[in-house]
Amino acid sequence: MTVLEDAPATSRAPGSEPVPQVDFDTDPSRYRHWRLEIEGETAWVYLDVAEDGGLVPGYELKLNSYDLGVDIELYDITQRLRFEHPEVRSVVLTSGKDSNFCAGANIRMLAQSSHPWKVNFCKFTNETRNGIEDMTAHSGQTWVAALNGTAAGGGYEMALACETILLVNDRSSAVALPEVPLLGVLPGTGGLTRVTDKRHVRKDRADIFATKSEGFQGPKAVEWKLVDETVSRKQWDSTVRARAAEAAAASHRPTPSGGLVAQGITLPPLQREVTEDAITYPNVRCAIDRDARTATITVLGPEAGTVPESLERIHALGADFWPLAMTRELDDLILRLRTNELEIGTWLIKTQGSIEGALAFERVIAEHSGSDWLVNEIRHYFKRTLKRLDVTSRSLIALIEPGSCFAGALLELALACDRQYMLEGTFEDQDGSAEEQDPAQIVLTESNFGAFPMGNGLTRLQSRFYGDDETVEELAGRTGERMTGADAEEAGLVTDAPDDIDWEDEIRILLEERASLSPDALTGMEANHRFVGPETMETRIFGRLTAWQNWIFNRPNASGDEGALRRYGTGRKADFDRKRV
Amino acid sequence: MTSARPKIDFDAKIPNNVDLASDRKLQRALERWQPNFLDWWGDMGPAVDTKDVYLRTAVDVGREGWAHFDHVPMNEYRWGVFLSEHDPDRKIAFGEHKGEPVWQEVPGEYRADLQRLIVIQGDTEPASVEQQRFLGATAPSLYDMRNLFQVNVEEGRHLWAMVYLLHAYFGRAGREEADQLLQRNSGSDDSPRILGAFNEETPDWLSFYMFTYFTDRDGKYQLGTLKESGFDPLSRTCEFMLKEEAHHMFVGTTGIDRVVTRTAQLMNEHDSEDVAGAGGIPLDTIQKYINFHYTVSLDLFGNESSTNAANYFTAGLKGRWQEERRKDDHVLTDDAGAVDAVRDGQITTSEVPALLALNQDLRSEYIGDCSNGLKRWNRILEKHGIDRRLTLPHVGFNRHVGAFADHHITPEGRMVSTEEWKANEGRWLPTEVDKTHVRGLMHPVLEPGKIAGWIAPPTNGINDKPVDYEYVHFN
């Protein structure tokens, strides 16, 4: 990962601060802040931050504190463990420093960052931590936090994402959430939420813990359920190993059955071409219209007839296997647009390719995802990528046109959007004769009914038809049906199905109208509409905790010149506006 | 999709200069809308059964084209779609987009506002046809009946003009709005016309002349501000509509001329102001009708201080009257204006930002224009040696919208109590007795060249035809 000083694409609006261009590529040979060691069924992940390795200038990453660059490497580690190390069944997260585990997000970095930067950083951090929990739950790679020193703030939040937390009992190491008392902000990347929702700490104790800057050492931390176990230095190594082994033994990760399928695949660098107004990958294209402030994202479907005939063939293709290749590219694109293209407020989601091809690949995934580790990983990766879309603060509009392949899993892309527009019939060319093509169609498959749940635990169809299970049930009876625009509109699967006479005007006016609305109001409105119904820990983190944190970030008590975040480390106290709001 | 529907020969049926014959979008929209329009015209249009009427049909925007006269059966009238000439260099003249090229498509940002402006304007056009539906049956002459129908078909064409904009530029939502323009009806309990004045009946010809003088004049001013619009198709449409609107006001102006003339003649013949018994309309009654129609029309301009008008102006959607002739910055963010107000029981003014005072600005232009008619009618009285004069009442009189809405103000501008208002209302506004008298005079005169007794004949015919020309043929 690097910050590209002279990146071709720029998010500089006149008069605004330049936004550093962030690149999410990395690999273990380039890590500056982490060491990854694989030992049989256990992976050892050491946080060992290079003080001078900050992503942007202006701060030193002291005390194993982190910034977005550190998190980008952690995300890369999670992906490599999933795909390159099928044998790994437990992961130990620990510190490479002698003195402490992790002091959390770097405060000077937070203090100097723009609001969008902080928000993007926190969002990505949250997604990676959710991904760690997803590994434990669905990949059979169970994470164990081995806190060999104090874990404060984001450091403890990172540990909270693990299934088990061990804290060394050395009469000085502690776990703490000092954000409220020291910085005037929240432990906002899952901290507050996981303490109560995941670790079931009583709310009055959680209140004490979150306002006590020094936190608690081992015994008390165990008593209050903040950690699972505290271990003396003498017993530390053996206990950590024992817990890692136990976790590995309990793992449900499919045991590789030998041969090619037992080996990990390689995640090579992405093929990506970036120009002023386009980001192009083999399977995903993005064209940016800066005047209209839109990005048109086209996912290219698989070619019909290229579906691998065997599991061995899938493993041999590895990162070239279309569903994985496409998902990696889409994931990268979402991250880049989110971080680097702040003013591109509307994303138009399209697909292009053969519906037959998309359905054929889907059948392969369905057949093997229960038994083969790789296919299972691909499914969950696509699930997490869809979730990234769900929490993306951009207006998402699906445009379903002839030649598209919104079928099954790819239909989820459309369902993730705020609105779906589908052409009824075909486009007529200028002579008035229909081009030789079928009308746009969409196809529901079984994977729309549970394979890719949202953060709220519901499918996108259940979210769309919230409180109307009957409709969802009826739609379940229509899997495999090729629906035209009129069918899809009637079934409630698309917002509108204009014909070719109306299409251009309707879409143009819609986009111009959208572009004129307040970006902040849109972000809030879209997030509210996307996540209906039940709260989960995930939605509480992305909704409540993040929303409150982002409010606090914007308030002078945190970010003003006299606010706690800015005054931290200056020797001067924050000067609060004492009014409760 | 294209083969099944019956083809309409668009250019022959619908005179236009918008290339209708090659515009699939418009064709599709009009194919559905036009039969509904004809149904509406049959149900809600003029109720008199005629064979044909000597009407002007616009077949082009040029000087020759828009004044094409012939006897036409009313239901075969060719309603057309015309925009004034295109000026490729036209720039937005005001607001925050001042100096930018005008828009040829609806900017999405202003879709809702533009659609609203067009729908409100469009709603008034068929409304007046509905209001005047039964008037033909009591026309004082064939000449007047023909003028009424000319006004009616042109209001119908103005509806077409607005529907064209909705169809051509606003997609599906525009088509739905166009349908609703035919579904709302004047005076309907369930779905009335949008503006109050257009739900009042036009029960007699004096009301008709008053309506075309005062209320159509409001339309002229509204069209005049839309003519300034940065949305070029709207601007060009309104510019052409204004030409037709001028004829409607001519009908009103000369209609009231003739009523006043006849009243003056009767007053002199009988040496009395009370000409009711002689089959005329007393000056008192004329004054009351002026008071009523003028003030109802003032209400159409909305509140003195309006954020909507300010937003429309800043966005470049609706300008001021004769915007480009005005000598200011056309942005108005730093200017102030005075608006009428009532404070502590006193009629006064408040200073507000100029942008908020645009409704009052337009109303002031309108009031100035209205007073020309009064001068004209008073000259007629003068010529007949009559001392009495007709006047425009105070701007606060009989108002139901804006600063004066909750106050009682006499025609002279004195604020009075509810009791005093109630006691005198009948001196200022038409009473049932007045209306009954006027209605009682309304008998049709269908013989060419003959005229009813309460109104003087016109001085000229239509299109150089004599006054006794057979303007209307009956079955």
Side-chain angles (χ1 to χ4, degrees), chain B residues 446-458:
Chain B
L446 303 178
E447 203 178 322
K450 291 286 188 304
I451 191 88
W454 54 272
I455 185 168

Side-chain angles (χ1 to χ4, degrees), chain A residues 84-260:
Chain A
E84 299 191 344
H85 300 284
E87 74 283 10
V88 167
R89 303 163 81 80
S90 66
V91 184
V92 176
L93 173 67
T94 192
S95 167
K97 308 276 189 214
D98 292 335
S99 50
N100 77 326
F101 174 75
C102 171
N106 188 276
I107 305 310
R108 288 194 194 285
M109 178 276 293
L110 285 177
Q112 78 176 40
S113 297
S114 68
H115 184 72
W117 183 270
K118 286 200 283 277
V119 170
N120 270 321
F121 163 67
C122 290
K123 183 173 287 176
F124 181 73
T125 299
N126 272 325
E127 287 171 328
T128 305
R129 288 176 189 169
N130 287 341
I132 285 173
E133 285 175 333
D134 192 53
M135 280 173 92
T136 299
H138 296 112
S139 300
Q141 295 186 325
T142 303
W143 283 60
V144 177
L147 309 182
N148 50 344
T150 289
Y156 177 57
E157 290 184 299
M158 208 186 308
L160 282 168
C162 298
E163 186 67 2
T164 308
I165 306 176
L166 306 182
L167 172 61
V168 68
N169 187 5
D170 59 2
R171 310 281 165 199
S172 65
S173 295
V175 292
L177 291 177
E179 283 88 344
V180 172
L182 293 188
L183 306 170
V185 298
L186 301 181
T189 41
L192 287 185
T193 313
R194 287 195 173 92
V195 165
T196 52
D197 292 30
K198 183 178 182 182
R199 301 206 59 91
H200 307 300
V201 176
R202 235 169 55 199
K203 72 165 187 173
D204 53 341
R205 288 177 163 178
D207 184 283
I208 291 174
F209 179 59
T211 50
K212 192 175 168 66
S213 59
E214 72 274 30
F216 292 117
Q217 296 175 17
K220 184 94 172 200
V222 172
E223 189 195 331
W224 282 27
K225 300 196 278 194
L226 296 164
V227 304
D228 295 286
E229 198 174 347
T230 184
V231 184
S232 68
R233 277 182 167 271
K234 209 186 305 175
Q235 313 241 283
W236 179 251
D237 285 350
S238 61
T239 308
V240 170
R241 280 181 183 283
R243 297 296 170 264
E246 287 160 23
S251 164
H252 56 77
R253 190 166 172 87
T255 310
S257 53
L260 187 59

